[in-house]
Amino acid sequence: MSKNIQAIRGMNDILPEKILYWQHLENTMRRILNAYGYQEIRTPIMEKTELFQRSIGEVTDIVEKEMYSFNDRNGDSLTLRPEGTASCVRASIENGLFNQTQRLWYMGPMFRHERPQKGRYRQFHQIGVEAYGLQEADIEAEMIFMTARLWRALGLKDLALQINSLGSAAARAAYRDTLVSYFSAHPQPLDEDSQRRLHTNPLRILDSKNPEMQPLIAAAPRLLEHLDSDSLTHFEQLQQLLTAAGISFQINPRLVRGLDYYNRTVFEWVTTALGAQGTVCAGGRYDGLAEQIGGKPMPGVGFAMGLERLVALLEEQENPNLPDPNPHAYLLMAGDKSLQTGLLLAEQLRDALPNLRLLSHCGGGSFKSQFKKADKSGAYLGLILGEEEVLQGRIAVKYLREDKPQESLLQTELAAFLAAYFKLC
RNA sequence: GUGAACGUAGCUCAGUCGGUAGAGCGCAGGAUUGUGAUUCCUGUGGUCGUGGGUUCGAUCCCCAUCGUUCACCCCA
């Protein structure tokens, strides 16, 4: 067994059995993005390592220990992208997209070397959405409306929206210092994780799950009280827009996000149905990022959703409302000339009915074994072409899922029959 | 990176208190002429994750390794 070569740990094959969920999710989101005027962008899955170091932040977990980095043959350090925002900003700078506002989206695999567990894999997939050049909270609201629309379209309930504001970069940095001195003044009760976070991401300490830390956290200075007034106004505007749209949300002062580039708005859609990995979609504003990467200052807002996690939610649903993958008809062929007649007939049907799902039997065999395959394929009708039918220019139609007697049609009538029966156009 | 549980046929699992293994489903064929799904019959299936150790002998014990799962950490 293990003599065989296996897939890389944490990197999964998505098999035909599951692909319907993926396609449904992707198609639904594509449709919605299109309706809001967002355009797709495709960037390489590898970038120079420096791009991620500069955008995500040197001391974040992602950069410090989770990136798939290696040296190219010419010595450049390259990295499989751990997220999409940095590439998207880079591509926009490089191709001059920042001359006007942009609404972009992308979809694809991301890579992070973490220990796999439910809802967390080393190659995972995201749909990411970014908007550039927009300063007001209306764009954040639009994005949240869009995600809420997706949940509705997919029938996903039990997703809760949490929002927070980190303030301006300056306010956030000042608050960070305040927090560090607060926690440094009480070093005793800080657990090991929090000690580390003190240097990496002190805001993260507020999110600790350790019960012993709670009293200390409760007494800590509050981020919302340290917001600059512009950010506060911005945050209030967002809340107002959400309320007006009837989208309920929760302000979570502990919501800080792990990547360094966020300022002002951050938000997450969370669920309790997926165990420890409850965040299904998350994002925020990153006004300083473009400059950090070397472009001109350009406000940005974006979010990303984890496709594996959403697929897991869809799979738990009772009525996922997936498109029917079963063939409409299965063509059985046996006897002299039936193969040639049958395959030609199949092509004519496909010409006439582009939406027909028709499976032609291949590989010969008795009618009996062909019927077994027809049944197994899930097809609704068996189209039977034997010697007799070939001679008479007819075809037999057997209902495989209904208790109705078999019929015999002229081959020339078949397309019209199928169109009517399946309401195809 | 840390901790725990697990790894037997394509799938879901049983089993051997250490003497090289079974079931169900699946798959293939059949039950008189060109008809599936039901029923019946037959067949196909695994060096028991891999490597090493203990032993006369290990799939079962021990160690390592790879993988899976869940949690911590972190994140989508």
Side-chain angles (χ1 to χ4, degrees):
Chain A
M1 192 82 94
S2 78
K3 294 242 171 83
N4 298 331
I5 297 172
Q6 296 176 303
I8 299 167
R9 173 171 223 192
M11 304 200 180
N12 303 117
D13 303 310
I14 302 166
L15 302 177
E17 196 188 353
K18 292 279 173 68
I19 209 73
L20 276 183
Y21 291 97
W22 286 80
Q23 291 174 342
H24 183 228
L25 171 58
E26 290 164 6
N27 291 340
T28 308
M29 189 57 186
R30 226 191 297 265
R31 198 192 72 223
I32 291 172
L33 286 160
N34 190 44
Y36 279 78
Y38 285 70
Q39 292 182 295
E40 182 176 3
I41 181 170
R42 299 188 187 185
T43 65
I45 59 169
M46 271 191 269
E47 297 279 354
K48 297 209 173 132
T49 301
E50 192 189 359
L51 174 66
F52 301 116
Q53 288 171 336
R54 264 161 61 182
S55 58
I56 296 170
E58 289 278 7
V59 293
T60 56
D61 275 30
I62 292 179
V63 170
E64 277 188 335
K65 47 192 193 196
E66 294 176 1
M67 294 205 301
Y68 277 93
S69 299
F70 60 93
N71 288 326
D72 194 6
R73 284 169 186 272
N74 62 10
D76 290 345
S77 177
L78 305 183
T79 296
L80 256 32
R81 63 183 182 195
E83 57 104 42
T85 299
S87 309
C88 203
V89 171
R90 193 227 84 225
S92 299
I93 294 172
E94 195 168 334
N95 297 287
L97 303 187
F98 281 168
N99 292 328
Q100 48 193 313
T101 64
Q102 294 289 339
R103 285 174 164 86
L104 303 171
W105 69 273
Y106 55 85
M107 169 166 70
M110 306 293 164
F111 303 84
R112 266 129 77 167
H113 191 106
E114 302 180 89
R115 192 83 160 252
Q117 80 186 62
K118 187 174 191 177
R120 195 180 68 186
Y121 307 99
R122 290 187 174 177
Q123 174 173 334
F124 61 103
H125 298 79
Q126 291 186 330
I127 292 178
V129 179
E130 319 283 354
Y132 302 126
L134 298 165
Q135 266 173 324
E136 304 298 315
D138 47 5
I139 184 63
E140 279 104 315
E142 175 178 288
M143 287 194 180
I144 291 172
F145 292 172
M146 207 158 59
T147 52
R149 183 173 296 279
L150 178 65
W151 315 147
R152 259 180 279 136
L154 295 174
L156 293 180
K157 310 209 164 69
D158 307 322
L159 286 177
L161 176 64
Q162 302 192 339
I163 61 172
N164 192 23
S165 177
L166 302 176
S168 65
R172 183 187 175 181
Y175 175 68
R176 183 186 160 116
D177 291 343
T178 311
L179 258 193
V180 170
S181 35
Y182 167 78
F183 284 119
S184 302
H186 308 262
Q188 300 85 0
L190 273 190
D191 60 18
E192 207 178 309
D193 285 332
S194 299
Q195 298 270 9
R196 185 172 43 77
R197 291 182 186 121
L198 202 54
H199 305 290
T200 57
N201 191 348
L203 308 213
R204 197 91 227 173
I205 298 176
L206 299 173
D207 213 6
S208 173
K209 289 176 188 169
N210 186 346
E212 291 172 25
M213 294 285 299
Q214 297 313 313
L216 186 64
I217 290 169
R222 286 164 188 282
L223 173 58
L224 287 175
E225 288 161 12
H226 291 252
L227 285 189
D228 52 297
S229 65
D230 284 351
S231 293
L232 201 58
T233 311
H234 188 272
F235 194 38
E236 278 163 1
Q237 194 197 353
L238 174 61
Q239 293 175 50
Q240 209 176 357
L241 290 167
L242 292 176
T243 306
I247 293 177
S248 53
F249 60 88
Q250 211 181 350
I251 296 174
N252 178 357
R254 299 175 169 193
L255 184 61
V256 295
R257 321 252 48 251
L259 289 69
D260 273 0
Y261 50 59
Y262 287 110
N263 68 302
R264 291 200 170 156
T265 315
V266 290
F267 68 90
E268 278 188 16
W269 286 96
V270 296
T271 172
T272 53
L274 293 178
Q277 314 302 326
T279 302
V280 133
C281 171
R285 178 170 283 277
Y286 49 87
D287 292 339
L289 181 57
E291 217 174 343
Q292 219 168 304
I293 291 177
K296 62 179 182 183
M298 178 61 65
V301 180
F303 67 87
M305 39 200 203
L307 266 36
E308 279 80 0
R309 293 180 186 179
L310 287 168
V311 165
L313 288 181
L314 285 176
E315 283 179 296
E316 283 180 8
Q317 267 199 323
E318 291 183 13
N319 299 318
N321 198 21
L322 300 175
D324 182 5
N326 294 324
H328 292 114
Y330 190 102
L331 177 61
L332 302 83
M333 291 160 284
D336 212 25
K337 288 276 194 316
S338 66
L339 195 62
Q340 183 181 317
T341 311
L343 291 180
L344 283 177
L345 179 62
E347 289 309 303
Q348 287 162 10
L349 288 173
R350 292 180 178 116
D351 286 340
L353 304 167
N355 291 320
L356 177 71
R357 294 188 301 277
L358 171 65
L359 207 47
S360 300
H361 180 85
C362 285
S366 64
F367 269 119
K368 185 187 183 66
S369 65
Q370 294 194 34
F371 268 104
K372 281 191 179 178
K373 298 249 165 63
D375 181 51
K376 197 141 293 166
S377 76
Y380 297 95
L381 298 181
L383 307 178
I384 307 155
L385 201 61
E387 271 177 64
E388 224 175 283
E389 285 82 4
V390 170
L391 287 174
Q392 299 170 358
R394 304 189 71 88
I395 189 152
V397 176
K398 171 158 175 156
Y399 298 89
L400 297 173
R401 316 285 151 199
E402 280 178 274
D403 195 13
K404 276 162 78 170
Q406 188 166 312
E407 297 182 32
S408 173
L409 303 175
L410 284 171
Q411 285 168 20
T412 50
E413 298 171 333
L414 186 56
F417 170 85
L418 292 172
Y421 185 74
F422 291 111
K423 301 183 176 65
L424 296 170
C425 41

